[in-house]
Amino acid sequence: MLRGWLALASVYLFFVCLPGLMPQPAAKPCSLDTRKRVENLIKIAPGMKEKLNCSLYTPTDQDFEQTCPKSALKCFANETKVLIQEWEDVNFRVVRPYRNLSKKLEILSAKLNQSESECRQCEFLNEQNAETFLKQLKSTVEMMNRLYC
């Protein structure tokens, strides 16, 4: 039997380490602040039409909800990165606070368990203008929050 400090240290380590070994619930892919960031980008998108006309591969709600949620979010993340880079190239400084939006979407997509073998690649999706792309992204983020939050 252990006595003194050795016993106390053993009990302490048992109670500190045991919770770390217990299975943790899976992280939920939801983000309310992502929706707010997308809404703010939608507000500034019309002002950027005159400076830049770009087309982005745009997943639909159906791509996210019924078939390939992880692939859809990855596509949104990649295309958001492209959009922000394009807007920054025409020297539009309002976009700078939104640089990490694509990173947030990548993190959210990593939380989804899904095989991507049957999913269409981003390049095979329909191309839409930036405003339509952002509206679809907002719709997808809202759906994700409804399903997983």
Side-chain angles (χ1 to χ4, degrees), residues 11-78:
V11 170
Y12 174 77
L13 287 175
F14 175 77
F15 285 111
V16 169
C17 295
L18 184 64
L21 298 175
M22 301 298 267
Q24 301 294 322
K28 293 183 178 181
C30 67
S31 176
L32 300 175
D33 66 318
T34 301
R35 182 181 62 79
K36 290 177 187 171
R37 287 175 185 252
V38 174
E39 285 175 346
N40 289 335
L41 280 175
I42 289 171
K43 289 177 188 173
I44 61 174
M48 298 205 205
K49 259 187 203 176
E50 297 84 38
K51 295 182 180 187
L52 180 69
N53 184 18
C54 61
S55 295
L56 302 156
Y57 299 112
T58 308
T60 62
D61 288 341
Q62 188 176 16
D63 291 326
F64 179 82
E65 187 175 28
Q66 295 176 358
T67 54
C68 300
K70 186 174 193 163
S71 297
L73 279 181
K74 278 185 175 181
C75 184
F76 276 124
N78 292 334

